[in-house]
Amino acid sequence: QNTVLVCIPCIYLWVCFPVYFLYLRCHDRGYIQMSNLNKAKTALGLILWIVCWADLFYSFWERKNIFRPPFFLVMPTVLGITMLLATFLIQYERIKGVQSSGVMTIFWLISLSCATVVFRSKIKHALNTGAEVDAFRYVTFCIYFILLLVQLILCCLPERPPLFSETVNDPNPCPESSASFLSRITFWWITGLMVQGYRRPLEAKDLWSLNKEDKSEEIVPGLARNWAKEWAKTKRQPLNMLYSPKKQQKSSDSNGDVTEEAEALIIKPSQKSSEASLFKVLYKTFGPYFLMSFLFKAAHDLLMFAGPEILKLLINFVNNKAAPNWQGYFYTGLLFFCACLQTLILHQYFHICFVTGMRLKTAIVGVIYRKALVITNSARKTSTVGEIVNLMSVDAQRFMDLATYINMIWSAPLQVILALYLLWQNLGPSVLAGVAVMILLVPINAVMAMKTKTYQVAQMKSKDNRIKLMNEILNGIKVLKLYAWELAFREKVLEIRQKELKVLKKSAYLAAMATFTWVCAPFLVALSTFAVYVTIDKNNILDAQKAFVSLALFNILRFPLNMLPVVISSIVEASVSLKRLRVFLSHEELDPDSIIRGPVTEGCIVVKNATFSWSKNDPPSLNCINFTVPEGSLVAVVGQVGCGKSSLLSALLGEMEKKEGYVVVKGSVAYVPQQAWVQNATLEDNILFGREKNESRYKRVIEACALLPDIEILPTGDKTEIGEKGVNLSGGQKQRVSLARAVYCNADVYLCDDPLSAVDAHVGKHIFEKVIGPKGILKNKTRVLVTHAINYLPQMDTILVMSDGEISEMGSYQELLKQDGAFAEFLRTYANAEQSMENSGNPSGKEGKPTENGVLVNEAPGKLMQRQLSNSSTYSRDAGKSQHRSSTAELQKPLAEKNSWKLTEADTAKTGRVKATVYWDYMKAIGLFISFLSIFLFMCNHIASLTSNYWLSLWTDDPVINGTQQYTNVRLGVYGALGISQGIAVFGYSMVVSIGGIFASRHLHLNLLHSVLRSPMSFFERTPSGNLVNRFSKEIDTIDSTIPPIIKMFMGSTFNVIGACIIILLATPIAAVIIPPLGLVYLFVQRFYVATSRQLKRLESVSRSPVYSHFNETLLGVSVIRAFEEQKRFIKQNDMKVDENQKAYYPSIVANRWLAVRLEYVGNCIVLFAALFAVIARNKLSAGLVGLSVSYSLQITAYLNWLVRMSSELETNIVAVERVKEYAEMEKEAEWSIEQTAPASTWPEEGKIEFRGYGLRYREDLDLVLKNINVTINGGEKIGIVGRTGAGKSSLTLGLFRINEAAEGEIIIDGINIAKIGLHDLRFKITIIPQDPILFSGSLRMNLDPFDQHSDEDVWRSLELAHLKTFVSSLPDKLNHECAEGGENLSVGQRQLVCLARALLRKSKILVLDEATAAVDLETDKLIQSTIKSQFEECTVLTIAHRLNTIMDYTRVLVLDRGEVVECGSPDHLLQEKGIFYSMAKDSGLV
């Protein structure tokens, strides 16, 4: 006692000291001031040292009289030095900022436990009368003991936080860093949050900030640095990357985003070493922290085997009637202690794994985001937006999952070896039979895992395609509705879905097989082992000790063997993800040096002999470009559609691959793209774009860009939030915002890609004069302007004429006219067409009055502007959805309400428990028969399992006669039969659940798809596409592949727990007193937890959406971000969004651990009581029953843990069903087709349209946008609709197509009230050519005729009339030419012509034309106009006109103002009336 027990704490501290000292040296958290707590600890440490050395001096003094053995000198010396060391550590920790120390707490705990034993024996010794007592040593020992106790208590209290730490200025710091050691190992520190979450649903503001070491800004740069190093190493041996486009590439006019699906082919290099290993990089970055988990795991694995060993001792004790009682109690205590220690260690291990997983995800998302900002366009083509988002969500998730499993790779074999060794000791060689069975099962499992893998890849592929298609459908939903194409696209989606379900079904069969081997393996092993054991030798007796200790060991074996295949498949999955990531991270990056941004002597932009292509292996799109732009000059770039004008700008921005030549751009650059890119932020943020706000400059810019009137219309002025992709702005407004952003940033060089195309003529003029032209804000800057507008050309300094990727002519307007070349020809053709638009200067005398969009607005001074948002140009391609919601007349409402106006509804988090109806819905989706069948099969399985184990206990209690047992064969036979029936039941329920799951997911997806397609337009405007895509990817994926296995495990664990309780009650009925209260504690803890956990999970998934939305947005605007050099700011935003997401994820990890620790203590108590009651009733119980009851209770902890995990998993995942149902039950638009009222197939025969008292509003709470419109349009009339921005021109067409239902009055076409017929019946009969041409990815033919109603000749004829025949014939695949996502591989002009071809193909009586001439050069415009005149001669044509000259020859013109028809008549007649039409005509210089 005196030596060993004193030594243990000393050895512990001295072993820990060097490691701990080094750790503290490296991890300095700042300095903690001296506090009373610290002074007390230090003082006590010193007193302890004095007490120990008092003993030492006493021994010296004693040596004079009595001789004592040397340890009386050695021990106090060692102990004293150790106490000094402890005191030193207390101070050192304080200096290094440790608030609570585990090393010291454990040291004091060990010292105290050792001292307690000594203390007990000393007291016993003293009570023994007649024993001599050493008074001095007694006193010192008592003091020592009391001081240790006080030290331990003090050590449990945390210190105050270090000086200068971040937590001081953090409003809501994470309590973890300041929690004490005990609080940390039991996760007590999160209890505050749990209580809060139990009282009321948590909100985002309740969450703690992340710890510094978990934040993006700490983690991502580390990984990025390591990857850069690794990448640089392999860069030395060049990696051959080829981008092989599947089809011949076209140069294009749109953004240059020639989205060919190209595949990155990596040609296998000769030596393997040249691939950058991402695994190595991840290991370098996260390895050191993760290594801690190895130690914990190893300790836990060793402790696991303590259970069966102690069980062996317990059974011996029950059998041996002579053993003293204290032995039994000691074993029980030991069992409990081991179990508790095991719990604490296991959860520390899990915590480390999960935190590593979380950091991994943060790092991967951050790295992908940073990479996406720098990859070349050709690389962009190899991964569509969908795929990159998948990398962020799915693949990053896989790494998170793997982090928790990866240690099983070495831990599983370790556990297997230990278990086999102990089994061998127990049963001898017959164990080999069991091992043989296990080894047989491993390859079977491995084969299944590999198979599952291949299925998964196939399923992922289908899923990618499905999401890509859904993405397009949601972006182009407006067009789908106008064309009534929903059904065709629904079929396309379901076709892909069918493939996906086929694969899922195969996986389900496999899963059933796997579950079968999973559940039956331990049983088969036990059966074979016992059978061999009893049949080899008559004298081998199966007694309780052998049977139940073996069973306990087999149960331990079950886990590693089942985990191995899971881990292996998880590793395989992660390796696939790793490869996808590596390919993405190895993509070519833009060469920042290809364009020199520096001082130039001769001009501002100098290009010499430059040749550019879109990617390294493409033919060049721009050849031998030579030009110089002097500083401060204005240069126009003109040319036909698709001649490389946009590409030229891209080249100057450095977006293209420079093959040869020399390009210098002096100073900073601002860029206005052709398709305006608008962020989901306030209007003001869009314009400031991260710059400081300078009030006067901001005002000037807004005024110059004609945005003032628009800002007045918007609900909250320039603080209005703009939806995703700018949905609540019209095309013209977006373009002006995009321009304002460029003007505000005050760069040196301005590159504008046709910014005037999307705006009305007079606004264009205003902008040219105020911004771009010789007198505009930018008059001293260098400006390069791509344009189709001829009338501005005379004011240019230089004009570049492009054709086929080369500069054909160059010079001033006058010079080019003199040369009489292509340009002069081009001008002559169009001069007449544009004669009207000659720059007639500003009409005089208008300066003083308020002009709106450059048009005079006569407002009564007192009247509030009650105007509607312009919906013109909202078939915008970038919007994909028009935005009427913002069209609001809410300006009169008080300001408070103004500020609360939001456009998009954020993804909302539901609160409270998941309702039982959701489970019921899911069961109905599966089918009730299947549901109940599976429950019945579960019951059978578990009854068989319990019976077989009970039978085993009866068998072991068979009396032994003459060294053998009697009915061995009967016992064995029944045992086997029970096992086989169990197997059959397992296979049955597994199959049933999997197949049921597939039924359910088919049913739910179908409903979701159907109802989303049937939702009205307003729904798509309110709902960000991210939310919808989330439903189709994340939630459907959960229903497909997560819920069925969770249901299996949930049912399994439920029955397991019930079974274990029944067995314990059978053996020791007295346990009935204990189990219910423990059950209550369990339930309470579980409810307590689920309330918080569910809410955290919801907050986490809600905060996940913005990460993807922002990412999507970035990918769309990447060229703008690069041009403005704003990458850093966007990276920072992305980091913040990821951190917001992790802020909800981190507490949910910890909450899981909190729960598990609490629950395992409940389980450990069950073990304690089962053993305790067995010891108390040892005389009444047979050894068999004790073995049965304790071995079951040993498993119960694991089951309880699983049960709560599964029930909360089930609850969090079933939310997917709830969210899918939620969208399936949204408001719908009217029926697609109504049998009773369906019009005749030839309707409308003449195309006569009557508006009777028609009125329209966008939302219940808004004013009318159109009021009392009474107009009759006769068949075959050509009607022009004009009006100022926001007059309600587009609203009229929306009413005609019933995108919005009438608020009053009716529209009658050929005598049929359109409100009475089905939507498809109506929309099929009217054709629209929308303003923004949207194409879907798929063949060209599919884009023209998705229902395959027309013959190929018809299609070709329509193409010929649309002037596309030559172009399509030149394509290698002709009509099957694949259009990219959004039609990006056709230029905007070509897309417009495709839309015209669609209209020609449908050839309906009524044609609505939303002035589509904006993005088209004059030639194409002429073609379209003439085609419409000739082909739609006897049709009714309604044109929403922005350029008045297109409608001057129409039969009638309707002039709308503020939603009412103010003038109506032939154009000539209206001009004579000198009304609104006249003033508009005057503004565009027609009169």
Side-chain angles (χ1 to χ4, degrees), residues 130-397:
E132 56 173 314
V133 177
D134 187 342
F136 180 77
R137 285 216 169 76
Y138 246 81
V139 175
T140 54
F141 188 79
C142 285
I143 295 173
Y144 171 73
F145 184 74
I146 291 166
L147 288 176
L148 279 181
L149 186 63
V150 178
Q151 262 300 24
L152 179 63
I153 294 167
L154 288 182
C155 206
C156 293
L157 305 172
E159 289 278 356
R160 55 173 81 169
L163 291 171
F164 317 119
S165 77
E166 283 90 355
T167 49
V168 182
N169 40 27
D170 195 338
N172 198 0
C174 182
E176 181 183 14
S177 52
S178 55
S180 70
F181 172 71
L182 279 181
S183 158
R184 265 192 202 175
I185 57 170
T186 57
F187 297 98
W188 187 259
W189 52 272
I190 195 184
T191 312
L193 190 70
M194 302 299 259
V195 173
Q196 207 177 357
Y198 185 66
R199 290 204 184 123
R200 63 175 174 75
L202 288 174
E203 293 159 32
K205 62 170 190 294
D206 302 323
L207 301 176
W208 304 311
S209 316
L210 282 175
N211 294 328
K212 181 164 170 281
E213 53 272 19
D214 296 332
K215 286 195 173 139
S216 293
E217 57 206 38
E218 287 286 310
I219 299 171
V220 185
L223 180 62
R225 260 198 314 278
N226 287 335
W227 170 250
K229 274 185 212 153
E230 179 73 23
W231 182 223
K233 261 189 232 162
T234 59
K235 248 316 191 350
R236 291 176 209 137
Q237 311 122 328
L239 178 66
N240 306 326
M241 259 277 194
L242 272 190
Y243 290 102
S244 75
K246 289 185 199 148
K247 301 153 293 288
Q248 156 238 341
Q249 200 90 26
K250 266 207 64 276
S251 88
S252 91
D253 190 53
S254 95
N255 276 359
D257 258 354
V258 193
T259 315
E260 292 289 347
E261 295 277 326
E263 316 264 271
L265 302 176
I266 299 171
I267 294 168
K268 285 280 177 286
S270 48
Q271 71 280 59
K272 196 76 193 84
S273 65
S274 74
E275 285 197 343
S277 151
L278 187 56
F279 178 73
K280 224 191 299 182
V281 176
L282 290 174
Y283 173 75
K284 251 192 213 151
T285 318
F286 301 105
Y289 175 73
F290 192 62
L291 281 173
M292 298 265 296
S293 65
F294 282 27
L295 303 172
F296 285 127
K297 186 73 180 138
H300 171 254
D301 286 354
L302 294 173
L303 276 170
M304 251 168 72
F305 292 99
E309 290 307 293
I310 298 169
L311 175 62
K312 196 182 202 167
L313 297 170
L314 253 179
I315 292 177
N316 283 345
F317 162 78
V318 172
N319 276 338
N320 175 7
K321 302 294 178 204
N325 270 353
W326 69 266
Q327 264 184 3
Y329 295 127
F330 174 66
Y331 293 147
T332 306
L334 199 57
L335 196 58
F336 183 63
F337 174 71
C338 281
C340 291
L341 194 58
Q342 196 179 329
T343 298
L344 291 177
I345 288 178
L346 178 66
H347 294 298
Q348 277 312 308
Y349 158 73
F350 272 143
H351 186 61
I352 290 179
C353 290
F354 275 112
V355 170
T356 308
M358 174 176 101
R359 290 180 185 171
L360 260 174
K361 183 168 180 181
T362 300
I364 285 169
V365 172
V367 169
I368 289 175
Y369 188 84
R370 285 159 173 74
K371 181 74 182 185
L373 285 174
V374 295
I375 61 176
T376 57
N377 273 299
S378 48
R380 258 291 297 285
K381 277 175 250 152
T382 57
S383 353
T384 58
V385 176
E387 279 164 31
I388 301 179
V389 173
N390 252 349
L391 278 180
M392 290 177 88
S393 52
V394 183
D395 297 329
Q397 191 63 45

Side-chain angles (χ1 to χ4, degrees), residues 716-753:
T716 48
D718 58 5
K719 298 285 186 290
T720 307
E721 182 206 12
I722 291 170
E724 270 189 88
K725 303 192 189 140
V727 287
N728 51 334
L729 296 179
S730 67
Q733 286 165 326
K734 267 189 293 197
Q735 195 67 63
R736 296 202 293 274
V737 169
S738 170
L739 184 64
R741 171 194 302 148
V743 177
Y744 186 83
C745 88
N746 200 10
D748 303 326
V749 178
Y750 280 80
L751 304 177
C752 306
D753 195 346

Side-chain angles (χ1 to χ4, degrees), residues 781-799:
K781 313 279 187 192
T782 310
R783 293 141 295 169
V784 177
L785 173 71
V786 169
T787 185
H788 288 142
I790 294 179
N791 49 332
Y792 303 129
L793 295 182
Q795 304 183 31
M796 303 288 173
D797 301 334
T798 319
I799 298 172

Side-chain angles (χ1 to χ4, degrees), residues 1288-1350:
K1289 304 186 293 270
S1290 301
S1291 314
L1292 206 54
T1293 53
L1294 296 176
L1296 192 57
F1297 280 91
R1298 281 176 62 201
I1299 296 286
N1300 285 50
E1301 297 288 351
E1304 55 189 41
E1306 53 197 19
I1307 300 179
I1308 289 177
I1309 298 182
D1310 279 5
I1312 290 184
N1313 180 350
I1314 62 167
K1316 300 277 189 288
I1317 59 177
L1319 289 179
H1320 280 185
D1321 297 336
L1322 168 68
R1323 291 173 187 167
F1324 268 128
K1325 304 292 186 182
I1326 317 178
T1327 307
I1328 186 163
I1329 301 184
Q1331 182 172 29
D1332 274 308
I1334 293 194
L1335 299 189
F1336 298 97
S1337 63
S1339 67
L1340 195 56
R1341 151 129 221 175
M1342 197 283 312
N1343 266 301
L1344 293 169
D1345 177 26
F1347 287 101
D1348 278 333
Q1349 293 165 327
H1350 304 277

